[in-house]
Amino acid sequence: MAKQLISVVIPVYNEESNIVWFYDELKKQFDDLPKYDFEAIFVDDGSSDQSIKIIKELAGKSDGVRFLQFSRNFGKEAATSAGLGVCKGDAAMMIDVDGQHPVKLIPKFISQWEAGFEVVIGIRQSNSKEGAVKHYGSKLFYALLGSVAGTKTVPGSTDFRIIDRKVIDEFNKLTEHSRMTRGLIDWLGFKRTYIDFNAPARHSGDAAYSYSKLIRLALHGFVSQTTKPLQFTGLLGFIVTVGSFLLGLFLLFEQYIINDPLKLNVTGTAILALFLSFLVGLVLICQWLLALYIESIHNETQNRPLYIVSDKSTK
Ligand code: UDP
Ligand code: MG
């Protein structure tokens, strides 16, 4: 029987010090898996360091290495999509190059895939050096997404996953621009299972995702999965209107009809100021929500390509 091919899709952004180390680790894993061939697809996401040079050298030396080079930085989501778009494997393993997705777990992912699971998802248990903001931020994101969007995403889900050829083909049909790979794969469904892992610190280099980039990604991931927040805006407006009406009635009654037994001494101006600032705040929240959606619509209707490839391997 012909060997099965596993594609390994690796987004790379300024990782010059990690690439060779990563590839060696990867090769070691597959040396112990004689049943499989692998192709490593490095997608250089517009790195400004020596990453692409190192990748090209590697591709020149090793048969199993292919690469795509982006014309500029398009983000990890675009890089992953590009890799999945060109991969030839019976399954594709998505993995970070910085060592935070332990390479030695790949055989475990493959064995679950072989057992019939079409999507095998790595669940991050802890992340040494992650920091409280990222940790609780991601917890909050998943809690919100789960309750509001109804997308079943297990907390701690990462992009560290293997997906079957069937899933790759469906994924490649998706056309939206503002994308979060994880969310889209979760949306596709298919038979899935989970593998827990602990994320070690980066092998070297610094995380390229700043907080502002992560927040943008989370927000867009959110609005691309659900339009429920728009309805929530309406609900909020309703609650506030009814609430302020009742409060107004109470104050009127307390102050002017039964002559302020609580000694509140509320002035009319104070009440007005309070309501004004409250309502202005609400209107702003609603506008912000709308803006998020309009931004998404704008990005979709522009219909630009997700990424621009400036160079690729001939293999
Ligand atoms: N990455 C990318 N494009 C970017 C930022 C990151 O392709 O704009 C790659 C990066 O090289 C790494 C993976 O995505 O392989 C995860 O990035 P990082 O380690 O910076 O993020 P974190 O560990 O915080 O998720
Ligand atoms: Mg990382």
Side-chain angles (χ1 to χ4, degrees), residues 10-15 18 43-47 51 70 73-80 95-101 124 127 130 134 159 182 202 206-210 213-214:
I10 313 140
V12 177
Y13 181 56
N14 293 344
E15 303 273 9
N18 289 324
V43 185
D44 178 71
D45 185 13
S47 300
S51 294
F70 282 180
N73 180 243
F74 281 90
K76 177 183 175 180
E77 310 302 315
T80 312
I95 187 166
D96 286 359
V97 71
D98 60 7
Q100 294 201 286
H101 293 166
R124 186 171 53 214
N127 187 342
E130 182 180 50
K134 252 188 183 175
D159 290 319
R182 271 166 276 174
R202 288 183 136 255
D206 292 321
Y209 273 100
S210 58
K213 233 174 165 183
L214 274 178

Side-chain angles (χ1 to χ4, degrees), residues 108-120:
K108 216 167 152 186
F109 279 83
I110 295 178
S111 71
Q112 291 289 51
W113 166 66
E114 197 160 49
F117 292 101
E118 290 148 327
V119 179
V120 185

